[in-house]
């Protein structure tokens, strides 16, 4: 699906009719990668009131601090409040006997929940993350390779509210507005809108828009985009979780590609 402001508005109206732009405050999780940068730009173009939240997991030395500085500069340019915190992710993972990816996720969402509770605004507070359609494919593939049967495969939901899942450990209302759009379409938007989003940095500049590496692909290197570059999205949704998918359609050609990648 082509990503532009009109398509984004249309998708929002159809998928999140209960989330009003003008009486909601959005906290956008921004790693500094193209996905979260583009999501922030789109929300600004929609006229939304937003804050930018950046978790520094301190996993890559000075590069992690550089990412933080980059997002801080971007927040200033976008005239949005900047929220950040540094975490000792390795120590947390060791203490609680979990992998780095899981530790980072636990840390991240616990902090996000704190931010939502502490947000001093007279409006509903909603967290936004920049998961896109390629992430959806990765999720299905990861579940499959971990042994989940076809009927048990589920995807990333476009929206998760505490009302929908009252037993959840957090109380975050979360939406993922980029879920039906491919990584390629996100990059295309960045290139086309580079002049309005430009931030000059020494090492990261793509088509006028400065970009950092995608956080998800750093944390899941074995399932990075290159491993499913032949699988285009949208992709056929199957299994009991299919009704959770956003922007995914029955497409025989795509289904065949995904099935081939799975070795079916």
């Amino acid at each position: 699906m082509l990503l532009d402001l009109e398509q984004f508005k249309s998708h929002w109206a159809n998928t999140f009719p209960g989330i009003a732009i003008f009486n909601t405050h959005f906290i956008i999780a921004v790693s500094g990668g193209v996905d979260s940068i583009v999501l922030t730009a789109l929300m600004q173009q929609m006229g939304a009131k937003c804050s930018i939240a950046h978790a520094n997991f301190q996993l890559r030395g000075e590069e992690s601090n550089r990412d933080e500085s980059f997002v801080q500069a971007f927040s200033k340019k976008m005239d949005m409040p900047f929220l950040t915190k540094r975490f000792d992710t390795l120590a947390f993972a060791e203490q609680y006997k979990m992998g780095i990816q899981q530790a980072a996720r636990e840390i991240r969402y616990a902090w996000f929940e704190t931010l939502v509770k502490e947000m001093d605004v007279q409006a509903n507070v909603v967290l936004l993350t920049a998961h896109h359609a390629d992430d959806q494919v990765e999720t299905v593939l990861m579940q499959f390779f971990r042994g989940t049967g076809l009927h048990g495969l589920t995807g990333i939901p476009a929206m998760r509210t505490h009302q929908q899942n009252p037993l959840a450990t957090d109380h975050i209302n979360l939406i993922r507005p980029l879920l039906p759009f491919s990584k390629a379409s996100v990059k295309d938007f960045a290139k086309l809108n580079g002049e309005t989003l430009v931030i000059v940095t020494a090492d990261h500049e793509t088509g006028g828009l400065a970009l950092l590496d995608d956080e998800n692909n750093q944390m899941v290197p074995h399932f990075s985009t290159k491993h499913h570059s032949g699988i285009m999205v949208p992709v056929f949704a199957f299994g009991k979780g299919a009704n959770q998918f956003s922007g995914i359609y029955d497409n025989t050609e795509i289904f065949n590609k995904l099935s081939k990648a799975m070795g079916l």
Side-chain angles (χ1 to χ4, degrees):
M1 182 187 298
L2 172 69
L3 175 58
D4 59 24
L5 181 58
E6 292 308 312
Q7 286 281 8
F8 187 75
K9 285 181 177 179
S10 176
H11 167 61
W12 188 287
N14 292 330
T15 310
F16 314 114
I19 308 294
I21 290 291
F22 299 110
N23 65 353
T24 303
H25 189 93
F26 299 96
I27 298 176
I28 309 176
V30 178
S31 66
V34 60
D35 312 324
S36 53
I37 293 294
V38 164
L39 175 58
T40 305
L42 285 163
M43 293 304 295
Q44 185 187 62
Q45 291 178 22
M46 290 262 283
K49 295 180 180 178
C50 304
S51 297
I52 288 177
H54 176 78
N56 185 340
F57 297 110
Q58 301 190 96
L59 293 172
R60 294 178 293 113
E62 284 304 312
E63 287 189 14
S64 292
N65 296 334
R66 181 201 60 184
D67 293 354
E68 180 182 319
S69 297
F70 174 89
V71 178
Q72 183 175 17
F74 177 70
S75 302
K76 183 176 181 180
K77 180 174 179 61
M78 301 298 280
D79 195 24
M80 295 180 180
F82 175 63
L83 310 168
T84 190
K85 189 170 183 178
R86 296 185 179 185
F87 301 97
D88 191 341
T89 309
L90 291 176
F92 184 92
E94 182 177 352
Q95 179 180 354
Y96 292 99
K97 310 300 181 186
M98 62 179 64
I100 296 299
Q101 180 188 352
Q102 182 183 356
R105 187 184 187 283
E106 295 286 341
I107 289 170
R108 188 179 186 225
Y109 281 96
W111 180 54
F112 288 156
E113 181 177 16
T114 299
L115 293 180
V116 168
K117 289 179 178 178
E118 294 178 348
M119 188 65 62
D120 185 20
V121 295
Q122 299 299 314
N124 296 321
V125 180
V126 174
L127 174 67
L128 304 184
T129 64
H131 293 85
H132 49 71
D134 292 47
D135 294 322
Q136 191 76 279
V137 173
E138 286 184 4
T139 298
V140 174
L141 287 173
M142 290 174 69
Q143 289 177 349
F144 179 82
F145 289 125
R146 287 171 177 168
T148 304
L150 290 181
H151 294 289
L153 293 178
T154 60
I156 305 171
M159 179 168 61
R160 192 198 75 186
T161 67
H162 183 63
Q163 288 74 20
Q164 291 174 329
N165 189 10
L167 298 180
T169 56
D170 61 60
H171 294 73
I172 299 173
N173 291 326
L174 165 67
I175 64 176
R176 302 177 173 99
L178 294 181
L179 209 53
F181 303 99
S182 70
K183 179 79 170 188
S185 68
V186 172
K187 287 184 175 180
D188 286 343
F189 180 92
K191 291 176 182 178
L192 290 172
N193 293 269
E195 289 185 4
T196 60
L197 300 177
V198 64
I199 300 177
V200 178
T201 64
D203 300 317
H204 298 86
E205 191 169 345
T206 302
L209 173 59
L211 309 173
L212 300 181
D213 292 333
D214 176 70
E215 179 179 277
N216 290 328
N217 282 343
Q218 290 172 9
M219 292 187 173
V220 197
H222 297 296
F223 289 92
S224 62
T225 305
K226 66 181 181 182
H227 286 82
H228 59 262
S229 58
I231 305 171
M232 302 300 291
V233 287
V235 54
F236 182 77
F238 32 178
K240 62 184 179 183
N243 61 343
Q244 297 179 354
F245 290 139
S246 170
I248 299 185
Y249 309 93
D250 184 347
N251 185 308
T252 302
E253 180 183 358
I254 304 307
F255 174 74
N256 289 338
K257 287 182 179 181
L258 181 57
S259 299
K260 183 178 179 180
M262 290 178 167
L264 301 179

